[in-house]
Amino acid sequence: MTGPRYPALIADLPSSVPFVGPETQERERGAPFLARLGANESVFGPSPKAVAAMQRAAGEIWKYGDSTSFDLRRALAASLGVGTQNVLVGEGIDGLLGYLVRLLIAPGDAVVTSDGAYPTFNYHVAGFGGVLHKLPYRDDHEDPAVLFAKAAEVDAKLVYLANPDNPMGSWHDGAALVAALDDLPEGTLLLLDEAYIEFAPEGTSPVLDIEDPRVIRMRTFSKAHGMAGARVGYAIGAADLIRSFDKIRNHFGMNRTAQIGALAALEDEVWLETVKADVAKAKDRIALIARDNGLTTLPSATNFVAVDCGADGAFARKLLEALGREGVFVRMPFVAPQDRCIRISAGTPEDLDVLADALPRALAAARG
Amino acid sequence: MTGPRYPALIADLPSSVPFVGPETQERERGAPFLARLGANESVFGPSPKAVAAMQRAAGEIWKYGDSTSFDLRRALAASLGVGTQNVLVGEGIDGLLGYLVRLLIAPGDAVVTSDGAYPTFNYHVAGFGGVLHKLPYRDDHEDPAVLFAKAAEVDAKLVYLANPDNPMGSWHDGAALVAALDDLPEGTLLLLDEAYIEFAPEGTSPVLDIEDPRVIRMRTFSKAHGMAGARVGYAIGAADLIRSFDKIRNHFGMNRTAQIGALAALEDEVWLETVKADVAKAKDRIALIARDNGLTTLPSATNFVAVDCGADGAFARKLLEALGREGVFVRMPFVAPQDRCIRISAGTPEDLDVLADALPRALAAARG
């Protein structure tokens, strides 16, 4: 008996996955991590009001979620000052990235991103047969001018830009991005990943007409709102583009409790400010810990800090592995020269005590 | 400024959606439904142990779920007597259907299903450019012999068969399906949708070697386990096929609380038996209510009953709409001759009191 017949596109895809999760690493090492600082989760947790709302809703999980996420979309639209028709809720930014790539990219279509930017986007582009052009970072920043020029050269249908950037934590001023858009070619859509926007300085998000057909933004409840496990992301853009997702998305894909929790989280602005203050303190402490160990840190508009390990990617990899053996889960950029860094998420004071204790030993091990 | 450029496949897709959710209908009618009996949800709810587990886990939603759903997959594999490598957990059967169609179907590839079977499967096939061949039901049963013969004729890569069937509630004996597989052509994969299998008589699920490359099964926590809003489905099949999903799936797509709740639900076999008893009672009562109103019902191996309204689809549609105005949410098959029926999910005694009260008036309205 023969097995299923895969199309060539699928048969040729690699089996590698974008990220190995910390639980997989814990099973491999046979012990839990002592500090979970590798996935830019918000260790400060979700709003207590969101937790309470999700607990109250748990018994109602027998109902499918609203296929239109209407209440959450309406609240998001109101908070953004746009129409409900300009907002789509989906299964995290990862899910929305997959939908958007599927909407636009047929096999052979050109896509542009930065070399070392979000690998899950690249995974989706490869999965739909897109041809990915990767441009270098400039001074640890994604470089809109270079990206847009390449888009013009290869007639790209889609350009990815994260602002603030992951994994480096760098950012561009929104007004500068608006000016750069003059050089975005006609017919190229800019996908602006704003996953970390709540942590960024005022003015980081570009001010644009919501019906501007050149840009779609994506945001999430996974970072500042502390709900990574809920899988709630949203896209913001022109009504025509937002509506087109209805042709292909998994309409009943949203977890009902997650919809309810996200709505409660959105309404708790006080908690968000508390988290931002905690994150700022944690980033300062990470910088201190790094300095105490002779390392430097990069400025960050996110909830993580890129720590420059002062050598090449091989050394940073050794340090990361040594930290892992010490029970500290962190990640690092995938390509040079960014891979001279390790990326450490903002932790609780207890998490950072673990880091402060482990880092000297891990450095010694990496150098030894 | 021009908008995004969609590939022809996407541009040509209809904007219609497979199902309108009850919340959308409630917003349109301006009032909540009194009895929610249209989506084959389990009104009896999830296991109290699952609810408690989800409530305990709510505060930990800041963590991404395990990208491999390892604990749940291991428990499912143990309960099924197969290897962990034979089980994939995904975002409901709807999500898994999308992944499977994407894995196998390139534009122009042939797919076979029954005319009136699950529309969300058809939605995914259209979405990836597959050519769908729909074969008639026979005596309100999907007809494996006819489906497999068509698959041979059109060289189908995929055949859909639900056992038990939705929307009619009919079923085939597992041994008969095993025998029918002799006529499944080489290189055609049978997708066996077993969403309702827990309600079916012993022997309904075919006994096959787990590494048999001809069949993949899909099951869910949405029906008997009462967790439709959680979005937890699973696929069972040959390790090679299961592994291939890793090339394309949204690896961090699972809600963490849902993973935890599903594991607790799986372990609570007593609750499952209670639900099955409640469903059996509810189905008997629906049959009585139908009979009291001069209608007949079809045998059902699911948690719903197809009620034969005794006329054509137009009449059933009128009755369904009249029930909706009475506050009773039900659905109906999409095509003739199955659309002579309306489909009523097993309800609580209170739900069925509402139905018993509303049905005579709705029938009068439909006839009037």
Side-chain angles (χ1 to χ4, degrees):
Chain A
M1 294 180 290
T2 57
R5 292 174 287 169
Y6 301 101
L9 168 63
I10 298 294
D12 293 346
L13 286 176
S15 296
S16 59
V17 303
F19 289 109
V20 177
E23 288 79 7
T24 302
Q25 295 182 43
E26 288 175 332
R27 282 188 293 272
E28 284 167 359
R29 69 193 291 267
F33 285 118
L34 305 175
R36 184 170 162 129
L37 302 174
N40 304 338
E41 297 159 328
S42 184
V43 300
F44 308 104
S47 154
K49 292 176 182 171
V51 173
M54 291 189 286
Q55 288 173 332
R56 281 195 303 272
E60 300 285 304
I61 199 74
W62 62 269
K63 298 178 185 173
Y64 286 101
D66 176 5
S67 60
T68 71
S69 297
F70 184 82
D71 295 339
L72 179 56
R73 279 171 53 238
R74 184 168 55 180
L76 284 166
S79 80
L80 295 162
V82 301
T84 305
Q85 71 280 9
N86 298 115
V87 180
L88 175 75
V89 168
E91 304 91 329
I93 288 182
D94 282 2
L96 291 169
L97 289 175
Y99 291 143
L100 181 65
V101 171
R102 183 175 161 197
L103 272 182
L104 292 183
I105 304 305
D109 283 343
V111 178
V112 170
T113 188
S114 302
D115 195 15
Y118 195 46
T120 302
F121 175 72
N122 303 355
Y123 167 80
H124 289 306
V125 172
F128 288 101
V131 175
L132 196 62
H133 300 269
K134 299 182 190 177
L135 283 297
Y137 278 56
R138 185 167 51 85
D139 298 335
D140 299 319
H141 289 68
E142 300 184 39
D143 188 343
V146 165
L147 296 170
F148 298 172
K150 188 70 177 183
E153 178 194 329
V154 300
D155 192 25
K157 294 172 87 177
L158 188 59
V159 174
Y160 177 91
L161 178 71
N163 189 47
D165 171 70
N166 173 22
M168 303 311 284
S170 56
W171 68 102
H172 292 283
D173 181 67
L177 284 184
V178 172
L181 279 177
D182 287 346
D183 294 323
L184 187 75
E186 286 275 316
T188 299
L189 182 71
L190 173 62
L191 160 54
L192 195 56
D193 182 342
E194 297 188 329
Y196 297 95
I197 196 68
E198 293 89 347
F199 301 110
E202 197 70 25
T204 301
S205 185
V207 177
L208 292 166
D209 184 326
I210 185 62
E211 290 295 338
D212 190 323
R214 298 175 298 175
V215 179
I216 187 168
R217 295 167 208 244
M218 295 191 184
R219 297 185 179 181
T220 182
F221 285 85
S222 296
K223 305 302 177 187
H225 290 293
M227 293 180 59
R231 313 290 50 231
V232 186
Y234 54 106
I236 314 161
D240 264 2
L241 176 56
I242 293 298
R243 196 180 306 114
S244 71
F245 284 79
D246 278 346
K247 291 182 167 186
I248 58 152
R249 69 185 182 93
N250 183 5
H251 286 265
F252 289 87
M254 289 300 298
N255 179 290
R256 185 177 186 276
T257 311
Q259 292 171 321
I260 290 167
L263 182 57
L266 183 67
E267 289 167 350
D268 192 350
E269 294 174 14
V270 174
W271 180 256
L272 184 62
E273 291 309 312
T274 306
V275 168
K276 285 160 69 173
D278 285 341
V279 164
K281 269 182 257 173
K283 290 198 295 186
D284 287 346
R285 173 116 189 261
I286 292 170
L288 276 178
I289 294 169
R291 200 182 62 188
D292 288 347
N293 286 273
L295 307 178
T296 58
T297 53
L298 277 64
S300 164
T302 66
N303 69 341
F304 60 84
V305 178
V307 176
D308 188 329
C309 303
D312 62 3
F315 177 75
R317 169 73 50 195
K318 276 189 206 170
L319 179 59
L320 177 138
E321 289 169 356
L323 282 170
R325 287 192 297 273
E326 294 278 348
V328 180
F329 167 54
V330 294
R331 286 196 175 124
M332 63 181 285
F334 289 87
V335 300
Q338 297 97 288
D339 68 356
R340 71 190 188 281
C341 298
I342 59 173
R343 192 194 68 180
I344 304 179
S345 307
T348 62
E350 296 71 27
D351 291 329
L352 298 185
D353 289 347
V354 172
L355 175 69
D357 180 58
L359 186 55
R361 286 193 303 279
L363 270 170
R367 286 168 181 151
Chain B
M1 292 179 294
T2 58
R5 293 173 287 169
Y6 301 100
L9 168 63
I10 298 295
D12 292 346
L13 285 176
S15 296
S16 60
V17 303
F19 289 108
V20 177
E23 288 80 9
T24 302
Q25 295 182 45
E26 287 174 333
R27 281 188 293 273
E28 285 166 0
R29 69 193 292 268
F33 285 118
L34 305 174
R36 183 169 163 129
L37 302 174
N40 303 338
E41 298 159 327
S42 184
V43 300
F44 307 105
S47 154
K49 292 177 182 170
V51 173
M54 290 189 287
Q55 288 173 331
R56 281 194 303 272
E60 300 285 304
I61 199 74
W62 61 270
K63 298 178 185 173
Y64 286 101
D66 176 5
S67 60
T68 70
S69 297
F70 184 82
D71 295 340
L72 179 57
R73 279 171 54 236
R74 184 168 56 182
L76 284 165
S79 81
L80 295 162
V82 302
T84 306
Q85 71 279 10
N86 298 116
V87 180
L88 175 75
V89 168
E91 304 92 328
I93 289 182
D94 283 3
L96 292 168
L97 288 176
Y99 291 142
L100 182 65
V101 171
R102 180 174 163 202
L103 272 182
L104 292 182
I105 303 305
D109 284 344
V111 179
V112 170
T113 188
S114 301
D115 195 15
Y118 194 47
T120 302
F121 175 72
N122 303 355
Y123 168 80
H124 289 305
V125 172
F128 288 101
V131 176
L132 195 61
H133 300 269
K134 299 181 189 179
L135 284 297
Y137 278 57
R138 185 166 51 85
D139 298 336
D140 299 319
H141 289 66
E142 299 185 38
D143 188 343
V146 165
L147 295 171
F148 298 171
K150 188 70 177 183
E153 179 195 327
V154 300
D155 191 26
K157 294 171 88 176
L158 188 59
V159 175
Y160 177 90
L161 179 71
N163 189 47
D165 171 69
N166 173 21
M168 303 311 283
S170 57
W171 68 101
H172 292 285
D173 181 69
L177 284 184
V178 172
L181 279 177
D182 286 346
D183 295 323
L184 188 75
E186 286 275 315
T188 299
L189 182 70
L190 173 62
L191 160 55
L192 196 56
D193 182 343
E194 297 188 330
Y196 297 94
I197 196 68
E198 293 89 346
F199 302 109
E202 196 70 27
T204 301
S205 185
V207 177
L208 292 167
D209 184 328
I210 185 61
E211 289 295 339
D212 190 322
R214 299 174 297 175
V215 179
I216 187 169
R217 295 167 209 243
M218 294 191 184
R219 295 185 180 180
T220 183
F221 284 85
S222 296
K223 304 303 176 187
H225 290 292
M227 294 181 58
R231 313 289 51 227
V232 186
Y234 53 106
I236 314 160
D240 265 3
L241 176 56
I242 293 298
R243 196 179 307 115
S244 71
F245 285 78
D246 277 346
K247 290 181 170 186
I248 58 152
R249 71 185 181 91
N250 183 5
H251 286 266
F252 289 87
M254 290 299 299
N255 180 291
R256 184 177 186 276
T257 311
Q259 292 172 322
I260 290 167
L263 182 57
L266 183 68
E267 288 168 351
D268 192 349
E269 295 175 14
V270 174
W271 180 257
L272 184 62
E273 292 308 313
T274 305
V275 168
K276 286 160 68 173
D278 285 340
V279 164
K281 269 183 257 173
K283 291 197 295 187
D284 287 346
R285 175 121 187 258
I286 292 170
L288 276 176
I289 293 169
R291 200 182 61 189
D292 288 348
N293 286 273
L295 307 179
T296 58
T297 53
L298 277 63
S300 164
T302 66
N303 71 339
F304 61 84
V305 178
V307 176
D308 189 330
C309 302
D312 62 4
F315 177 75
R317 170 71 51 193
K318 277 189 206 169
L319 179 58
L320 177 138
E321 289 168 356
L323 282 170
R325 287 191 298 273
E326 295 278 348
V328 180
F329 167 54
V330 295
R331 285 195 175 125
M332 62 180 287
F334 289 86
V335 300
Q338 297 97 287
D339 68 356
R340 70 190 189 282
C341 298
I342 58 173
R343 193 195 67 180
I344 304 179
S345 307
T348 62
E350 295 71 28
D351 291 329
L352 298 184
D353 288 347
V354 172
L355 175 70
D357 180 59
L359 186 55
R361 285 193 304 278
L363 270 170
R367 286 172 181 147

